Amino acid sequence: MTALVTGGTGFLGSHLVRRLVRDGYEVHVLVRNQSNFWRLQDVRSQIQCHTGALEDPESLRTVMAAARPDFIFHLASATVVAGSAAASEELVRVNLGGIVNLLDACAGVNYSAFVTAGDSFEYAPSTAPLVETSFPQPINLHGITKLGSTLYAQSIAATQHRPVVALRLFSTYGPFDHPRRLVPRVIAGALSGQPLSLSRPGIVRDWVFVDDMVDLFVQAAQNAGRLAGRVFNAGSGIAVDLGEIVDTVLRLTGSSAQPQWGVFQAPEHDDHPWVADTTQTFEQLAWRPTTSLEEGLQATIEWTRGRPAT
């Protein structure tokens, strides 16, 4: 079987690429001229890379003609790191325009599954777990463009009878993450013994270890024909606040680093918990996140201690 991954040099995408290689797929990865392959060094010789861009329809058609993938995993998006999103023009061009171009380029390909990565910020903030059937009211442009991406994917599934499935990602963590994201920053600070500059301990997220998230993408692809047009929450349903993340990392590392809360102001969206209602996901798929928070943080700590140079 042949798989094409966009965003394959990124955090989650690199783990998915590695899993597909291990499972025996012929793996193709869409890359840019400036892509950094540090996350894929161990499998670089086992994958086929195609230079192109989501904003360039012609390059996408060339890639599709060359790869003829059975499975397509669309993980590429405009970057959002530590609460800071890309410029407005890039968000629209990459997140929304990108999936339009990619699905259009797939028109002549008889693929078995197209799985796209959405985002929990497609929802309106809520004190209750977020459910797929709620009316989406994103509060920032990132969420708006990701929602547009999901709606376009659903429209292709409905009008062209294509096996397209969307997964709305909550907070993924693990090895190879961007160093400016929360978990890598806390771990780096704990290992160095330096004070940890943080916002506030009560901010709540739904954390999923990266290997579990990859399992969900693979299962969604394997069931895409049955689930075409559906949207599923990619979360655990478990609320964890930042205080627990910090306390657990400090305990696992034996660090004496001191958390300094209130050093900077949290974004407005952090006033609300972002936790998935997993009812539909668990009903329709056998998938369950199996890595506990402690196990996932321990694995990430061990990787960070032996982290390869970038």
Side-chain angles (χ1 to χ4, degrees):
M1 301 295 286
T2 301
L4 172 70
V5 181
T6 74
T9 60
F11 164 47
L12 177 56
S14 64
H15 283 271
L16 177 59
V17 166
R18 198 173 290 107
R19 164 67 180 275
L20 294 171
V21 168
R22 188 168 68 245
D23 287 354
Y25 286 79
E26 177 184 309
V27 182
H28 299 256
V29 181
L30 177 69
V31 299
R32 293 176 176 272
N33 285 321
Q34 67 270 32
S35 291
N36 188 331
F37 290 91
W38 73 274
R39 292 183 175 96
L40 294 175
Q41 288 301 325
D42 56 329
V43 293
R44 181 67 179 84
S45 63
Q46 301 174 66
I47 62 178
Q48 298 184 47
C49 294
H50 302 267
T51 302
L54 293 174
E55 308 95 310
D56 181 0
E58 184 58 37
S59 72
L60 296 179
R61 286 191 288 270
T62 300
V63 170
M64 287 298 166
R68 308 297 298 180
D70 301 297
F71 294 91
I72 301 163
F73 297 93
H74 179 42
L75 279 68
S77 68
T79 303
V80 178
V81 178
S84 298
S88 298
E89 180 182 293
E90 183 180 351
L91 288 169
V92 174
R93 188 177 68 246
V94 176
N95 290 354
L96 184 52
I99 195 169
V100 172
N101 292 337
L102 184 61
L103 280 166
D104 286 354
C106 295
V109 179
N110 188 28
Y111 54 84
S112 299
F114 184 110
V115 184
T116 183
D119 197 289
S120 60
F121 286 130
E122 295 175 42
Y123 293 113
S126 173
T127 57
L130 301 164
V131 61
E132 295 92 337
T133 54
S134 64
F135 186 76
Q137 291 180 297
I139 59 174
N140 55 44
L141 186 57
H142 170 71
I144 291 168
T145 56
K146 293 300 285 185
L147 175 60
S149 172
T150 296
L151 293 174
Y152 186 73
Q154 288 185 293
S155 75
I156 294 298
T159 61
Q160 300 183 18
H161 309 290
R162 291 291 211 152
V164 180
V165 177
L167 300 177
R168 282 188 176 139
L169 274 63
F170 283 71
S171 296
T172 312
Y173 73 100
F176 292 99
D177 201 354
H178 193 291
R180 286 179 53 202
R181 297 191 192 277
L182 176 76
V183 170
R185 285 197 302 106
V186 172
I187 291 175
L191 293 177
S192 69
Q194 299 298 313
L196 306 176
S197 297
L198 300 158
S199 53
R200 61 177 189 272
I203 295 173
V204 172
R205 288 287 184 273
D206 184 332
W207 297 92
V208 179
F209 187 61
V210 65
D211 288 351
D212 289 332
M213 193 66 82
V214 166
D215 286 342
L216 178 55
F217 271 84
V218 173
Q219 278 202 34
Q222 292 169 344
N223 291 275
R226 175 174 62 88
L227 303 175
R230 298 285 299 274
V231 178
F232 295 98
N233 281 339
S236 68
I238 300 172
V240 176
D241 63 38
L242 268 58
E244 183 176 350
I245 293 283
V246 172
D247 290 346
T248 304
V249 168
L250 293 177
R251 174 170 53 81
L252 293 175
T253 57
S255 176
S256 59
Q258 294 298 309
Q260 297 184 338
W261 298 104
V263 173
F264 58 87
Q265 186 173 358
E268 184 178 349
H269 60 248
D270 282 337
D271 292 341
H272 305 271
W274 295 88
V275 180
D277 182 315
T278 58
T279 303
Q280 291 193 52
T281 306
F282 290 177
E283 283 180 351
Q284 295 298 322
L285 292 161
W287 177 82
R288 301 291 186 275
T290 59
T291 307
S292 70
L293 180 68
E294 181 158 330
E295 291 169 337
L297 290 175
Q298 183 65 58
T300 310
I301 290 166
E302 292 173 2
W303 175 83
T304 303
R305 284 188 166 123
R307 179 180 176 178
T310 59

